[in-house]
Amino acid sequence: MTTDAGAPWLIVGLGNPGPEYAANRHNVGFMVADLLAERIGGRFKRAGKAQAQVVEGRIGPPGPGNRRVVLAKPMSYMNLSGGPVNALKDFYKVPVANIVAIHDELDIDYGVLRLKLGGGDNGHNGLKSMTKVMGPEYHRVRFGIGRPPGRMQVADFVLKDFSSAERKELDYFVDRAADAVECLVIDGLERAQSTYNS
């Protein structure tokens, strides 16, 4: 599936709204989206009728490599992310192949990135909701958070804040994930995978 060079990209950070969730592992998608918004000099604003906050801008050097992007943070809670994303897709006329979901991933070690197009949801409720309304053929930037320690339940683990040890490296890993998103949008999936899939 090829991306549409003329169409905008919709870059979605997945997370839960509200200050009590802000530093959770499950909200790393929001953290990356916030950094990308900072880089393009924008501030998140409520998006019309869609239950989301958005920033519109451009990524990349001036000229043909420049891409129009809409950064989005669904405000619907993780398990209902598909509705707001689908509304934004229709409003901005974004093909599914130009959508990027940034999300936490249990099956990858902390801080490791994996970029891919399509695939299953691996039990991730945000992806499950998006796939239900749009099908699976969107890009994913998977940010490793590792598995819960001992007998801790997955739901408890993802809704906990990063540990103090993890926080020491978190800014670096979030920065790298933002770089990976920019590379994906400007240079394409293969280049981004070869550079950032560690």
Side-chain angles (χ1 to χ4, degrees), residues 125-146:
N125 288 332
L127 299 181
K128 200 176 287 182
S129 179
M130 285 179 61
T131 297
K132 190 174 173 187
V133 293
M134 300 185 309
E137 290 301 307
Y138 52 90
H139 289 85
R140 297 101 190 277
V141 174
R142 304 156 73 206
F143 186 110
I145 60 168

Side-chain angles (χ1 to χ4, degrees), residues 100-103 113-115 139-143 177 180-181 184:
V100 182
I102 310 162
H103 64 93
L113 295 176
R114 292 271 192 284
L115 285 77
H139 289 85
R140 297 101 190 277
V141 174
R142 304 156 73 206
F143 186 110
V181 172
L184 167 62

Side-chain angles (χ1 to χ4, degrees), residues 2 9 79 81 86 90 96 139 169-170 180-181:
T2 56
W9 283 76
N79 59 344
S81 301
N86 202 41
D90 292 346
V96 174
H139 289 85
E169 296 180 292
L170 183 59
V181 172

Side-chain angles (χ1 to χ4, degrees), residues 13 26 29 31 33 42 52 54-55 57 76 89 92 99 101 103 109 115 117 133 136-137 156 169 178 189:
H26 222 17
M31 296 173 198
V54 298
V55 175
S76 57
K89 169 182 80 76
Y92 289 103
I99 295 173
H103 64 93
D109 289 340
L115 285 77
L117 174 64
V133 293
E137 290 301 307
D156 294 333
E169 296 180 292
L189 179 62

